[in-house]
Amino acid sequence: MNGLRKLEYRGYDSAGVAVLSEKGLSFDKAKGRLAVLEERLASQPLQGNAGIGHTRWATHGKPSDENSHPHTDAKATFAVVHNGIIENFMPLKEELLAKGYTFTSETDTEVIAHLLADMYDGDLVGTVRRAVKRMKGAYALGIMSELEPDKLIAVRLASPLVVGVGEGENFIGSDIPAILEHTRNVYILNEGELAVLTRDGVELMNAETGEPIKRELFHVEWDLVQAEKGGYDSFMLKEINEQPQAVRETMGPRIDIVKKRVILPELVMSDAELAEYDRIYIVACGTSMHAGLVGKDVIEKLTRVPVEVAVASEFRYRDPIYTDKTLMIVISQSGETADTLAALREAKKHGVKVLAITNVVGSSVAREAAEVIFTWAGPEIAVASTKAYTCQVIALYLFALYFAQVKGTQTDAQIAEVIDHLVELPGKISEILANTDSIREFAYGIKDVASLFFIGRSLDYAVSLEGSLKLKEISYIHSEAYAAGELKHGTLALIEDRVPVIALATQPDIYEKMISNIVEVTARGAYVLGVALEGDNELTKTVNQVIHIPATIPFLTPVLSVISLQLLAYYASVARGLDVDKPRNLAKSVTVE
């Protein structure tokens, strides 16, 4: 329970434990915060000297006792805890149902327990290795069986997993804080590695080949507070660095990489019904609204369906024009944003279909919308949103591509090309995160300025709005974002010698126009930081400093350019000695008007 408490920041809608004793497996699990389970275990303790536990952030299935981990097979012979997503869980489930297996939860994880029971041949390690080969996705697994009670098996593919080595005891955890009170000696598992733990030792191997792996132990020097943040200085920096994985998990189950198609199995409405919509409202607040602005451009480009983006607090007091072919998309990280929720309810009164994009299963928005696409970004602790934003944008890309498929507005080849570039984004985000020196340098250079400006055109303008908001909310530096072509209509009066301007220039179709706008501010003495694509050597002739992001197709650049702006805001806040995670006057979930 102490270990789970250290991990509750990763998930907190339910929790459970399974313990192995001479009598076999026993377990308890409960919806709600860890305290609910803790209270139950205080009155009905479980006995044993081997166990696995889990705190959940719901993906497949609403928060409930039944959907909580650990999951077992029908005979409770195998117990499994799981972080991540099994992308092909449905065909595996259908196969197991045909064999007579019964399921008690809505999760993808329960499939693993039944699959292990079906494949077990007397060798637990071999069975796990063969089962893993049948699973597609991103996951970290902890597995026990009463058939081989002396073993605990852990497998990593994408989701984090560590092994703690003690004396006469060994541990697994999805993060180091869970095991720090017991040991500071750990193995950090790499992709595709499997660990077999017993009381007396740890064996590492390649999950695919079974080949043994030798590795030196890593001794953790962090204190506990640092450890909860994964060794990062703040939750915000940790969450910025979690974006490759978060984007991968949001995309993974929804892309058929073989057929190069988007699949949205969570949608209840038929393709025929979706194809009939000829107008879309995107309604959201703050960062989510900025994601919606990116979504607007992409949906319109791919489908030619007009999209209006509205601030929820304004939209709810309008008298919007609805028809029977109007779809509303609401976006909320928490799913509890009061203004967004009110707009959703008002639209429902008029018989409008509402599709929600949210991060929290079981939230009010998720429950009340007719359709839901979950972002699966994982818990976001810092008040300033980072990974939730990028996953919202990814969800909008996926919806736009799917909408284009059902309307037939893009050819198969056009869809396939976008998907090819889409799946490369996590790796390209990682490239940006590995090269932050120039961003840090610029951030420290602006820490004492009174005001600065972001400019961009088209999609770059949408990203500029988010970059400006990030900087304002955590560094308290006044900043404004403008469509670059609007500068000459008044804003140029504010540009004077050494005023910082961040200029995004990633859109080829209006690149020359953007250069002209940059020249307008440099002529007035502005100090300009340009954000450009790799291979662009022209911008350096016009600006004072350039940050390059990996090249991709034009309408995917917002996912990459925003990473640099998040880092800029982060480093500016650090340079000013501020609390990055808890900016003044702000709350994570805005549940009031």
Side-chain angles (χ1 to χ4, degrees):
M1 296 305 295
N2 286 344
L4 291 178
R5 196 174 295 109
K6 301 297 191 301
L7 295 177
E8 199 173 12
Y9 71 88
R10 296 177 67 94
Y12 34 72
D13 57 41
S14 56
V17 294
V19 173
L20 194 56
S21 69
E22 294 176 355
K23 297 178 182 178
L25 279 169
S26 55
F27 57 94
D28 201 351
K29 48 191 188 175
K31 175 185 174 182
R33 292 277 185 163
L34 190 60
V36 178
L37 177 65
E38 199 164 18
E39 188 174 330
R40 281 167 52 161
L41 289 173
S43 59
Q44 300 175 15
L46 302 180
Q47 302 296 324
N49 57 16
I52 48 179
H54 188 270
T55 58
R56 185 167 185 252
W57 180 256
T59 53
H60 288 71
K62 63 184 181 295
S64 67
D65 289 3
E66 295 77 16
N67 289 333
S68 305
H69 297 214
H71 286 282
T72 70
D73 62 304
K75 296 180 180 178
T77 303
F78 296 85
V80 179
V81 291
H82 165 220
N83 287 345
I85 295 166
I86 306 302
E87 296 170 9
N88 64 331
F89 84 98
M90 188 53 72
L92 290 174
K93 185 173 183 177
E94 290 170 353
E95 176 188 320
L96 291 162
L97 285 168
K99 291 183 176 182
Y101 289 90
T102 57
F103 289 76
T104 60
S105 79
E106 305 165 280
T107 69
D108 54 340
T109 306
E110 190 183 356
V111 170
I112 303 169
H114 290 296
L115 186 64
L116 292 169
D118 185 64
M119 297 180 70
Y120 185 68
D121 61 358
D123 174 9
L124 182 59
V125 175
T127 299
V128 170
R129 286 182 51 220
R130 287 185 292 111
V132 164
K133 289 178 182 177
R134 300 206 56 201
M135 293 186 283
K136 298 177 183 176
Y139 49 79
L141 303 176
I143 299 166
M144 294 192 313
S145 174
E146 63 180 32
L147 299 175
E148 298 186 34
D150 58 333
K151 294 186 181 74
L152 194 161
I153 297 179
V155 189
R156 180 194 175 173
L157 184 65
S159 293
L161 199 56
V162 298
V163 176
V165 178
E167 295 183 7
E169 55 181 7
N170 294 293
F171 308 87
I172 62 169
S174 54
D175 208 349
I176 288 172
I179 60 178
L180 262 192
E181 68 175 292
H182 304 287
T183 180
R184 288 180 173 269
N185 294 319
V186 302
Y187 293 119
I188 299 174
L189 295 190
N190 295 323
E191 296 291 284
E193 293 184 349
L194 180 149
V196 182
L197 284 70
T198 64
R199 178 198 307 272
D200 300 318
V202 174
E203 180 185 356
L204 305 181
M205 68 178 69
N206 182 297
E208 172 78 21
T209 65
E211 183 179 351
I213 295 170
K214 298 295 182 185
R215 179 171 300 142
E216 289 188 12
L217 284 168
F218 172 68
H219 185 74
V220 179
E221 300 288 354
W222 312 326
D223 62 28
L224 189 56
V225 172
Q226 286 176 305
E228 287 177 352
K229 297 172 183 175
Y232 293 101
D233 292 335
S234 66
F235 280 110
M236 182 178 178
L237 186 58
K238 181 175 186 285
E239 288 154 11
I240 288 172
N241 280 274
E242 286 175 340
Q243 286 176 111
Q245 178 63 17
V247 166
R248 195 177 287 115
E249 293 201 3
T250 297
M251 279 195 304
R254 292 158 173 152
I255 292 177
D256 185 331
I257 201 65
V258 176
K259 296 180 180 178
K260 301 289 178 69
R261 305 280 286 176
V262 172
I263 50 176
L264 293 178
E266 58 264 64
L267 293 187
V268 178
M269 62 178 151
S270 67
D271 287 354
E273 180 184 351
L274 177 60
E276 286 297 306
Y277 290 113
D278 62 8
R279 182 174 185 178
I280 295 174
Y281 286 116
I282 296 179
V283 182
C285 303
T287 285
S288 295
M289 190 271 288
H290 296 157
L293 290 171
V294 175
K296 167 187 166 67
D297 272 27
V298 174
I299 293 169
E300 289 182 342
K301 187 181 292 288
L302 292 179
T303 69
R304 310 311 298 159
V305 171
V307 180
E308 180 182 342
V309 180
V311 177
S313 57
E314 293 295 319
F315 186 86
R316 61 184 292 193
Y317 294 112
R318 283 171 45 185
D319 186 16
I321 300 168
Y322 298 120
T323 72
D324 59 357
K325 294 182 179 180
T326 299
L327 176 69
M328 178 186 279
I329 299 175
V330 297
I331 311 174
S332 169
Q333 188 282 137
S334 67
E336 302 295 345
T337 310
D339 289 319
T340 305
L341 198 51
L344 180 158
R345 289 167 178 165
E346 192 64 28
K348 286 177 67 177
K349 285 180 186 177
H350 290 83
V352 174
K353 175 84 76 175
V354 181
L355 184 155
I357 295 176
T358 184
N359 197 31
V360 182
V361 176
S363 63
S364 298
V365 162
R367 292 196 310 271
E368 296 187 32
E371 306 279 353
V372 187
I373 297 175
F374 291 109
T375 51
W376 296 338
E380 192 176 62
I381 308 303
V383 168
S385 179
T386 52
K387 64 177 181 174
Y389 168 87
T390 49
C391 289
Q392 287 168 353
V393 172
I394 292 294
L396 287 162
Y397 286 152
L398 294 169
F399 172 78
L401 287 163
Y402 189 79
F403 197 19
Q405 286 173 189
V406 301
K407 289 184 78 71
T409 52
Q410 299 290 312
T411 66
D412 289 348
Q414 289 170 322
I415 296 285
E417 181 188 6
V418 176
I419 287 174
D420 283 341
H421 289 280
L422 197 61
V423 297
E424 292 176 350
L425 290 179
K428 292 182 176 182
I429 294 172
S430 296
E431 287 181 42
I432 297 171
L433 295 172
N435 298 281
T436 62
D437 290 349
S438 57
I439 301 171
R440 184 190 291 108
E441 178 187 345
F442 185 83
Y444 274 74
I446 63 170
K447 69 183 180 69
D448 296 320
V449 302
S451 185
L452 59 76
F453 299 91
F454 290 78
I455 58 174
R457 301 183 74 126
S458 181
L459 282 168
D460 283 341
Y461 172 52
V463 178
S464 294
L465 287 165
E466 175 58 12
S468 178
L469 175 61
K470 277 297 148 287
L471 189 72
K472 281 183 281 200
E473 65 184 335
I474 65 169
S475 77
Y476 316 150
I477 297 171
H478 173 259
S479 72
E480 297 297 335
Y482 288 94
E486 282 293 290
L487 290 170
K488 53 188 171 291
H489 297 291
T491 313
L492 275 175
L494 300 174
I495 304 297
E496 53 188 354
D497 193 43
R498 301 301 293 176
V499 168
V501 174
I502 293 94
L504 279 68
T506 72
Q507 300 300 302
D509 57 333
I510 39 83
Y511 182 82
E512 291 181 358
K513 300 291 185 185
M514 187 63 202
I515 294 294
S516 297
N517 299 139
I518 294 171
V519 170
E520 288 173 350
V521 297
T522 56
R524 273 87 181 166
Y527 185 92
V528 182
L529 170 68
V531 178
L533 298 177
E534 257 176 4
D536 178 357
N537 299 315
E538 289 300 308
L539 196 61
T540 55
K541 301 172 184 176
T542 309
V543 303
N544 301 93
Q545 189 176 335
V546 177
I547 293 170
H548 285 101
I549 61 172
T552 186
I553 56 177
F555 69 73
L556 295 184
T557 61
V559 175
L560 301 177
S561 57
V562 78
I563 307 296
S564 297
L565 303 190
Q566 291 169 353
L567 289 164
L568 175 63
Y570 170 79
Y571 287 122
S573 181
V574 170
R576 289 164 67 86
L578 301 172
D579 186 337
V580 175
D581 289 333
K582 298 176 182 177
R584 66 190 181 200
N585 305 332
L586 300 178
K588 183 63 182 171
S589 179
V590 184
T591 55
V592 295
E593 283 194 52

